Every structure is written in structure tokens, then in C-alpha cells.
């Protein structure tokens, strides 16, 4: 006897339609239609405007900064996740706690904290001065933006990697050692290829927010570095050009969807491994 | 091909937990040794110490006469087969089997030859291009065996390789591994918790309990002459029946008086054995295997000194034989009788012990007095 319980899903349908489907349709509407002489006409004007050099430049800058910060997250995060996943590591819980605890704090507050560290007479420069070293003006540069991104998104890289690595069957590693592999070969041939699903989802979870951020670039970039997120925000809040703002969002969404598609396809084809 | 010596091997974990203590064993070249015992008895730990995956806390391990304590697993020239196969999901069957040879920089054509040969022996030639996820449990186990075979190691170590397979496949693979041992002519060390596997496969069996070796012997000797209550109960299925008993020496012979009620007279030979054993107490544990309890009229007529009254609780017809669950006095016994038996649950019947097959154990030390 199987009772039809699909009515339980109705509240979720309502929720999703109200807060996901309708807003998406609105974005689509604003991006592709405009009102002209009291009539509504289809237009690609806003989409086309994106391809003007000034906007392409902003877009490319966003991609480059996001790629760099994602790469740094991966380089820092992988060893950390590997250590955390180790069965014998004693201070595992403490370290895990330290990774997660900044996420309990407000995102804005975390980013503001860097202002006081990096500013001209901030903590960093005071320490440098105390050590008689030349002071650095990192604030309001791309470096500060990357730093902010890495700091904020590192846990999103570490957690999926940790999940994959800690679930890995220890016998796979034992078997490789027994078959004649040294530690480096075990990592190259077994551990890393098998952790690729974690790498892929770590990259996805870090790259997506990094490419769309506007708070970090605004606070730590000081308006010197406009990213695509800032551009979209400006269209809605300053320029009051909802159509272009929607067009930008739409393009970004399409690019993200495409890149996710490529990644998941790659993941499926390789059954979670096979770079080497 | 090599012999192994384990001398006073200990495994002590942090916090003084002793997993294996004073393990001594000489394994000859080409032997098929089985380590058997209940879970947590230290058998897998012992195997992993031989493989080098677990450090030896104390003692010495020699493979082919060479001290191995501080040698890396990759240099020990052993091949291990794991319970959950430990195949690499991102590699094809061929690559899985070739993995060890590739690491040793064996030329490609030789790798191919060896993998093909092993695949032929194991009958998995048609699976070489597949990934492990597309294989059944039995096929995966063959691949895992193949990965070990191509290495041509001095010693094969197998850690419960059949326990993830279903019953039918397990029986089949048991025979295959036996055949493989004959074909490869190499030393095999095999860990299992299944006493049937142990009895059917090993040339010698090591029975372990709580990290200590109980008895090392051939399957036949373990079955007929167990050294203590634990081995007697562990080896054999259904289990040996045990009952507390007292030895009562009377004018007409020596009697075993069961604690739950009933008594049987020892045969002359057994009584002499008991005399010769030097055991002077009276409190013993009597053990008798289910097949040595009979209900056939012919047997009853021939053994008037060991007839007992029994109440049948349950009968379990198994086809070729029938198991009777009996109550003799207050004690439960399990008998394995001819399927033509007429006994039904609730019946009061007469049964007889084959007294020449009775085992007596010291109640205090649980060691065997006579077998």
C-alpha cells in the first residue's frame, strides 16, 4: 500500500515558485524587454551593452581575481583538509573548530576587521614599523580583495575536501603501500585522484561566491576595483537601470551554469578521478 | 616463496591495550596457514604486522630468513588481499592489476603478459576493460586476487577475503583459492573468523583468542583433539555440547555424572587415559560433539552404559541429517542424527553418548584432560 503523499510537497512548491521562479522570470523579463511608447518590446540592447570593452574588462577582472583566490584557497585548503582527515592527528577537533568558528561571525564584520588590520596605521603596519620594516599599503588594492576572498571562502574549500578525504578507505592506501608505492606515489596515484570530487565541489563553492562578490571589493578594494558584482549592484541602487542590471545578472548566471555543467560532466566521466 | 618466523611478537597500543601477545609461529615455505578466532582476537593485527601496515611493538619477524621489523611494506615482497577488496575505483581492472608492476617499472609487454596470465587463471579476461564499480562482489574479489598474483610475491596475505560474498559464492571461491594455492605453490596466510573456512582450506590452523595463540594444528587434530574448552567450542558446527560434570569412581568403573542430571560410564580405554592424565580432582566439563549423540536402536542396544533420557525440544531437518535439540536433565544438548529419526518435538526419547568420543576438560583451567 503506497499512499500518495505528494501534497506534503505543496508548501515547498509555493515557496520555490514565489522566491525562486518568479524572481528569475523577473530578471529574464527586465533583461530582454523594455517599455517603449507605452508598449513593451523585445530587445537585446542590454545584453549587447555587456560586450562593450569597459564592461568586458570588469568581467575579466572579476574572473581573474576569483580564479586567483580559488587557486590560493585550494593550495592552502588541501593540506589543511588532509591533516584534518588524518586518523592519528591529535588536535583534529580543535583545528576543525578553528576552521568553522569564523563562519559564525557576521560576514560584514569579518571583512571590516581586515580594514583595521590593513589600513595605513593599522595593526599590520604598526607591527612592521615596530620591526623597522617598510610599511605596506595593501588596502584598496587587488591584493586586499584577494586576501578578503581567500579569508572568507577558505572554509568552503576545506569542508568538501575534508569530507572526501576522511571518507577515503584507509585500505586503498594500505594496498598501494603494499603494492610497492612510496608516500608520494600513494598521494599522486591514489589519494589525489580519488579526492577529485571534493576538489571539484570545493572549487565550485569557492569560485561562485568569489566571482559574484561585491562587499569584499567595495570594502577592501575601496571602489578602486570594480567587479561584476559591484557593477550589478550599481545598476540597481545608483544608476537605477534595472534592465541592464538584470541583463548582467542573466549573463553571469548563464556562465556559471555552463561552467557547472562542464565540471559535473567531467566528474561523472571520470568517476571521481583520473587526472593522471 | 619463503618461510616465515614470528618470534615473541607483541602488539601493544597506546594506553597498554595488548592486541597480540607472545605470538610464536614457524611457517614453512608453501604452507597454507589460517589464523582463526572470534573478532577482536588479534588475527588481523598479526597479519597487518606481517604486511608492515602495523608496527611490531616487540619481537622479531623473519621472512625468508631476513629480519623484517623495520622494512617498509613496499620492500617486504608480500601481497595482501583485503576484505573490502581495496580496488581503485578510478582505474580499470587491467590498471588495477598492473598497478604494482607499473610501480616497479616492469616493462609494458611483460606487465601485459602477466596480467593476461593472471586473468586467465582467475577467469576474468573479459572484464579487463571495466571499472570495479561495474563488477559483482565475486568478480571484484577475483580482481583483488589477480592484483596480488601478478606481483609473484613471496607470501600471500589474505584478510577475510570472502566475508563480503554471499554464501554460495563463498563456497565456490573457497575452492578456487585452494586451487590457486596448489597452482602458485607459495606461502599463504589467511585470516578468517569462519571456522568452516579454516577447516576446509588450511594445512595448519592457528586458533587465537584475546591476542593469544590457543592451538596450532592440522584441521583433523583441531577437531578431534582440541586443547581446551575454547578451541573445542570454536571449531566445529554445530558447536560441541558442554556440561558441568563430576567424575565418580565406583567399583564397577568410572562414571561421569552430569550436573543437570544423568550419568554415563566411561569406557575402559578412557578411564585408563584419565588415570594416566594425572588429574586428581572431580569437577570437570564434559564435551561431546552433536554427531556423537545417537538415537538409533542399534546403537542404543550396543551401549547400555551411556543411555540417557531426553526430551526433544525442537527438530531441525537439514536434508542429509536432522538436528535434535534435546534436554537431558537440566542441560541442553544438540544432536546430529539420521534424518530417518522418528523423534518429534515434545517426545521423551532415549539417546546414547558415544563414550569413546567424550572430551573432558578441567573445570578450573578449562584445559583438556582427555580427548
Amino acid at each position: 500500500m503506497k499512499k500518495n503523499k505528494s501534497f506534503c510537497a505543496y508548501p515547498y512548491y509555493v515557496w520555490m515558485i514565489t522566491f525562486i521562479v518568479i524572481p528569475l522570470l523577473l530578471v529574464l523579463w527586465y533583461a530582454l524587454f523594455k517599455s517603449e511608447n507605452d508598449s513593451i518590446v523585445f530587445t537585446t540592447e542590454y545584453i549587447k551593452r555587456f560586450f562593450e570593452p569597459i564592461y568586458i574588462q570588469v568581467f575579466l577582472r572579476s574572473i581573474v581575481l576569483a580564479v586567483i583566490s580559488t587557486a590560493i584557497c585550494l593550495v592552502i585548503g588541501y593540506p589543511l583538509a588532509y591533516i584534518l582527515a588524518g586518523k592519528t592527528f591529535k588536535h583534529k577537533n580543535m583545528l576543525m573548530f578553528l576552521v568553522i568558528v569564523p563562519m559564525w561571525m557576521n560576514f560584514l564584520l569579518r571583512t571590516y576587521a581586515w580594514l583595521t588590520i590593513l589600513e595605513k596605521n593599522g595593526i599590520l603596519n604598526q607591527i612592521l614599523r615596530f620591526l623597522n620594516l617598510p610599511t605596506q599599503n595593501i588596502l584598496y588594492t587587488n591584493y586586499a580583495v584577494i586576501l578578503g576572498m581567500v579569508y572568507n571562502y577558505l572554509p568552503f574549500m576545506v569542508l568538501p575536501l575534508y569530507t572526501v578525504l576522511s571518507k577515503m578507505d584507509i585500505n586503498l592506501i594500505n594496498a598501494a603501500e603494499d603494492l610497492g608505492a612510496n608516500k608520494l606515489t600513494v598521494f599522486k596515484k591514489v589519494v589525489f585522484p580519488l579526492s577529485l570530487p571534493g576538489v571539484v565541489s570545493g572549487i565550485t563553492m569557492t569560485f561562485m561566491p568569489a566571482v559574484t562578490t561585491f562587499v569584499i571589493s567595495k570594502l577592501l578594494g575601496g571602489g578602486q576595483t570594480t567587479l561584476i558584482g559591484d557593477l550589478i549592484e550599481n545598476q540597481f541602487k545608483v544608476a537605477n537601470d534595472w534592465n541592464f542590471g538584470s541583463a548582467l545578472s542573466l549573463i553571469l548566471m548563464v556562465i556559471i551554469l555552463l561552467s557547472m555543467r562542464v565540471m559535473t560532466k567531467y566528474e561523472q566521466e571520470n568517476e571521481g578521478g583520473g587526472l593522471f | 616463496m619463503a618461510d616465515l618466523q614470528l618470534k615473541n611478537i607483541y602488539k601493544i597500543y597506546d594506553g597498554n591495550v595488548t592486541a597480540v601477545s607472545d605470538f610464536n609461529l614457524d611457517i614453512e615455505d608453501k604452507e597454507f596457514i589460517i589464523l582463526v578466532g572470534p573478532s577482536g582476537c588479534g588475527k588481523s593485527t598479526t597479519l597487518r604486522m606481517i604486511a608492515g601496515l602495523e608496527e611490531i611493538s616487540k619481537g622479531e619477524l623473519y621472512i625468508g630468513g631476513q629480519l623484517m621489523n623495520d622494512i617498509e611494506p613496499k620492500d617486504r615482497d608480500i601481497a595482501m588481499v583485503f576484505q573490502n577488496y581495496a580496488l581503485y575505483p578510478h582505474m580499470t581492472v587491467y590498471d588495477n592489476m598492473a598497478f604494482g608492476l607499473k610501480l616497479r617499472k616492469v616493462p609494458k609487454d611483460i606487465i601485459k603478459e602477466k596480467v593476461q596470465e593472471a586473468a586467465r587463471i582467475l577467469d576474468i579476461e573479459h572484464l579487463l576493460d571495466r571499472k570495479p564499480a561495474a563488477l559483482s562482489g565475486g568478480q571484484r574479489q577475483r580482481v583483488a586476487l589477480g592484483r596480488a598474483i601478478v606481483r609473484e610475491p613471496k607470501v600471500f596475505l589474505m584478510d577475510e577475503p570472502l566475508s563480503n560474498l554471499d554464501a554460495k559464492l563463498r563456497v565456490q571461491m573457497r575452492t578456487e583459492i585452494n586451487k590457486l594455492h596448489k597452482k602458485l605453490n607459495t606461502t599463504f596466510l589467511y585470516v578468517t573468523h569462519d571456522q568452516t573456512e579454516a577447516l576446509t582450506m588450511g594445512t595448519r590452523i592457528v586458533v587465537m583468542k584475546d591476542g593469544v595463540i590457543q592451538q596450532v594444528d592440522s584441521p583433523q587434530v583441531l577437531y578431534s583433539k582440541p586443547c581446551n574448552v575454547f578451541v573445542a567450542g570454536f571449531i566445529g558446527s554445530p558447536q560441541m555440547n558442554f556440561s558441568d560434570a563430576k567424575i565418580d569412581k565406583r567399583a564397577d568403573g568410572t562414571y561421569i555424572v552430569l550436573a543437570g542430571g544423568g550419568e554415563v560410564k566411561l569406557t575402559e580405554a578412557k578411564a585408563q587415559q584419565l588415570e594416566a592424565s594425572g588429574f586428581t580432582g572431580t569437577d570437570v566439563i564434559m564435551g561431546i560433539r552433536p554427531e556423537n549423540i545417537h538415537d538409533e536402536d542399534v546403537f542404543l542396544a550396543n551401549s547400555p552404559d551411556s543411555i540417557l533420557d531426553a526430551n526433544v525440544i525442537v527438530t531441525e531437518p537439514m536434508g542429509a541429517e536432522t538436528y535434535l535439540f534435546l534436554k537431558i536433565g537440566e542441560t541442553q544438548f544438540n544432536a546430529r542424527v539420521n534424518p530417518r529419526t522418528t523423534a518429534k518435538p515434545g517426545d521423551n526419547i532415549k539417546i546414547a553418548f558415544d563414550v569413546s568420543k567424550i572430551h573432558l576438560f578441567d573445570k578450573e583451567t578449562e584445559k583438556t584432560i582427555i580427548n
Side-chain angles (χ1 to χ4, degrees):
Chain A
M1 282 290 283
K2 196 182 157 194
K3 273 190 183 165
N4 189 358
K5 287 189 184 144
S6 62
F7 65 87
C8 292
Y10 291 163
Y12 299 101
Y13 286 140
V14 173
W15 174 276
M16 287 202 292
I17 289 168
T18 319
F19 296 107
I20 298 171
V21 178
I22 293 176
L24 276 175
L25 288 175
L26 279 175
V27 168
L28 208 64
W29 174 262
Y30 277 113
L32 297 175
F33 295 91
K34 64 173 180 180
S35 55
E36 215 174 53
N37 309 328
D38 290 338
S39 63
I40 289 170
V41 288
F42 176 79
T43 173
T44 54
E45 178 194 330
Y46 303 113
I47 304 283
K48 273 185 192 144
R49 204 199 300 172
F50 170 78
F51 294 97
E52 285 171 20
I54 181 167
Y55 298 123
I56 287 289
Q57 214 182 344
V58 170
F59 175 72
L60 287 179
R61 190 189 298 136
S62 305
I63 297 281
V64 168
L65 288 185
V67 167
I68 292 173
S69 54
T70 305
I72 295 174
C73 279
L74 182 61
V75 171
I76 300 174
Y78 201 104
L80 177 59
Y82 196 67
I83 293 167
L84 280 172
K87 298 266 183 297
T88 49
F89 186 60
K90 274 184 191 153
H91 308 292
K92 185 171 162 174
N93 289 341
M94 189 64 198
L95 198 57
M96 198 70 199
F97 182 69
L98 288 178
V99 170
I100 292 173
V101 89
M103 289 166 73
W104 295 356
M105 223 180 307
N106 184 282
F107 176 78
L108 270 177
L109 208 62
R110 268 183 284 156
T111 314
Y112 266 120
W114 278 105
L115 279 175
T116 58
I117 295 174
L118 297 177
E119 68 190 359
K120 219 169 188 180
N121 292 314
I123 296 165
L124 179 69
N125 279 342
Q126 279 178 22
I127 293 170
L128 288 174
R129 222 170 283 145
F130 181 74
L131 297 171
N132 281 326
L133 292 168
T135 56
Q136 302 289 328
N137 277 327
I138 299 175
L139 198 59
Y140 307 138
T141 63
N142 283 348
Y143 297 114
V145 178
I146 291 174
L147 184 70
M149 287 181 180
V150 171
Y151 173 72
N152 276 313
Y153 302 133
L154 187 62
F156 297 105
M157 178 64 87
V158 173
L159 292 177
L161 282 173
Y162 168 76
T163 312
V164 170
L165 287 172
S166 62
K167 271 196 212 147
M168 197 172 289
D169 181 4
I170 184 82
N171 278 335
L172 289 175
I173 296 163
N174 283 341
E177 283 178 5
D178 167 279
L179 286 166
N182 58 30
K183 300 265 185 240
L184 185 69
T185 320
V186 170
F187 181 79
K188 257 173 38 188
K189 301 259 183 191
V190 179
V191 177
F192 189 72
L194 288 177
S195 71
L196 275 182
V199 173
V200 168
S201 72
I203 288 175
T204 318
M205 303 225 342
T206 316
F207 182 76
M208 299 299 164
V211 83
T212 51
T213 184
F214 60 92
V215 175
I216 295 172
S217 55
K218 203 170 193 180
L219 292 178
L220 299 178
Q224 309 288 314
T225 42
T226 310
L227 299 185
I228 190 95
D230 303 305
L231 198 60
I232 295 173
E233 194 208 5
N234 281 338
Q235 300 312 313
F236 284 97
K237 287 173 73 179
V238 185
N240 224 350
D241 188 349
W242 283 34
N243 298 83
F244 185 48
S246 298
L248 286 173
S249 308
L250 190 66
I251 291 165
L252 199 59
M253 216 143 53
V254 169
I255 289 167
I256 287 175
L257 279 176
L258 283 178
S259 58
M260 269 172 73
R261 176 91 194 95
V262 170
M263 279 215 176
T264 46
K265 193 164 174 241
Y266 172 82
E267 213 183 321
Q268 279 165 2
E269 271 175 9
N270 287 285
E271 283 164 33
L275 259 196
F276 297 94
Chain B
M1 281 165 275
D3 49 348
L4 271 91
Q5 277 108 39
L6 293 99
K7 288 189 179 157
N8 311 99
I9 299 260
Y10 281 83
K11 179 73 202 181
I12 301 157
Y13 287 107
D14 303 344
N16 275 332
V17 181
T18 309
V20 177
S21 74
D22 202 17
F23 193 101
N24 284 289
L25 187 64
D26 277 353
I27 301 170
E28 281 167 42
D29 191 15
K30 294 169 197 171
E31 259 196 297
F32 196 145
I33 294 282
I34 309 253
L35 301 181
V36 68
S39 52
C41 73
K43 55 194 190 300
S44 282
T45 313
T46 307
L47 197 74
R48 293 169 60 83
M49 283 195 281
I50 297 172
L53 301 172
E54 199 90 54
E55 213 176 313
I56 298 170
S57 309
K58 250 197 292 184
E60 288 160 351
L61 165 71
Y62 296 90
I63 301 178
Q66 201 191 343
L67 185 67
M68 283 287 167
N69 283 40
D70 297 319
I71 310 260
E72 288 280 308
K74 69 185 177 72
D75 300 320
R76 292 197 183 190
D77 206 5
I78 40 100
M80 185 142 164
V81 179
F82 294 85
Q83 178 177 356
N84 56 1
Y85 324 128
L87 297 176
Y88 299 114
H90 59 296
M91 298 181 191
T92 60
V93 168
Y94 181 91
D95 288 333
N96 262 293
M97 286 170 71
F99 190 66
L101 297 176
K102 278 185 187 161
L103 289 173
R104 283 186 164 68
K105 308 255 185 297
V106 176
K108 273 203 172 138
D109 45 333
I110 296 183
I111 294 182
K112 194 168 178 197
E113 209 174 284
K114 286 191 173 173
V115 172
Q116 293 284 2
E117 168 70 9
R120 200 182 49 73
I121 293 176
L122 295 164
D123 199 19
I124 48 171
E125 285 161 296
H126 57 294
L127 304 173
L128 287 176
D129 295 328
R130 291 205 203 159
K131 293 233 172 118
L135 303 181
S136 68
Q139 289 170 331
R140 281 182 213 183
Q141 191 56 68
R142 279 164 209 265
V143 177
L145 282 171
R147 189 168 67 179
I149 292 173
V150 295
R151 290 260 326 276
E152 295 173 9
K154 282 186 199 154
V155 183
F156 278 95
L157 306 177
M158 304 194 184
D159 191 0
E160 310 219 6
L162 305 185
S163 53
N164 281 5
L165 303 179
D166 64 57
K168 196 177 160 202
L169 210 55
R170 204 177 310 156
V171 175
Q172 197 185 331
M173 283 303 286
R174 213 157 70 191
T175 328
E176 302 255 331
I177 292 179
N178 255 335
K179 273 197 246 164
L180 202 63
H181 175 245
K182 298 221 165 58
K183 200 177 275 175
L184 299 175
N185 238 334
T186 309
T187 317
F188 272 46
L189 238 93
Y190 187 106
V191 161
T192 180
H193 64 265
D194 180 352
Q195 57 87 30
T196 324
E197 246 170 59
L199 286 177
T200 48
M201 296 173 87
T203 47
R204 273 200 301 162
I205 300 172
V206 180
V207 184
M208 291 180 75
K209 184 197 171 198
D210 299 335
V212 181
I213 295 184
Q214 305 290 309
Q215 191 171 1
V216 184
D217 254 313
S218 68
Q220 295 78 11
V221 176
L222 274 185
Y223 191 78
S224 56
K225 295 190 186 321
C227 75
N228 59 26
V229 173
F230 174 77
V231 176
F234 191 77
I235 300 291
S237 171
Q239 225 195 357
M240 184 187 280
N241 299 293
F242 295 106
S243 168
D244 284 350
K246 273 191 196 312
I247 298 173
D248 190 7
K249 288 176 185 159
R250 298 179 197 162
D252 63 331
T254 307
Y255 285 80
I256 304 292
V257 184
L258 302 179
E263 57 180 43
V264 292
K265 187 182 166 192
L266 283 187
T267 57
E268 202 57 42
K270 283 271 173 191
Q272 273 173 14
Q273 246 184 306
L274 180 63
E275 209 62 52
S277 73
F279 180 76
T280 52
T282 55
D283 286 348
V284 293
I285 298 170
M286 185 213 67
I288 185 159
R289 296 214 179 265
E291 62 268 33
N292 297 325
I293 302 178
H294 298 262
D295 73 336
E296 312 96 89
D297 293 336
V298 187
F299 194 92
L300 290 173
N302 283 330
S303 17
D305 293 335
S306 65
I307 294 181
L308 294 161
D309 292 314
N311 179 253
V312 182
I313 303 166
V314 177
T315 61
E316 278 184 4
M318 302 295 286
E321 59 207 10
T322 294
Y323 296 158
L324 300 179
F325 291 87
L326 307 166
K327 210 156 190 187
I328 302 173
E330 290 302 308
T331 320
Q332 273 226 33
F333 281 84
N334 183 5
R336 186 180 197 164
V337 299
N338 195 300
R340 275 171 292 188
T341 180
T342 52
K344 288 188 297 297
D347 286 359
N348 284 314
I349 60 167
K350 293 225 178 281
I351 53 99
F353 286 177
D354 183 349
V355 188
S356 65
K357 301 277 170 61
I358 270 181
H359 304 260
L360 294 180
F361 307 93
D362 187 327
K363 199 178 170 189
E364 262 176 43
T365 61
E366 301 208 333
K367 290 214 170 90
T368 302
I369 303 167
I370 55 167
N371 270 318

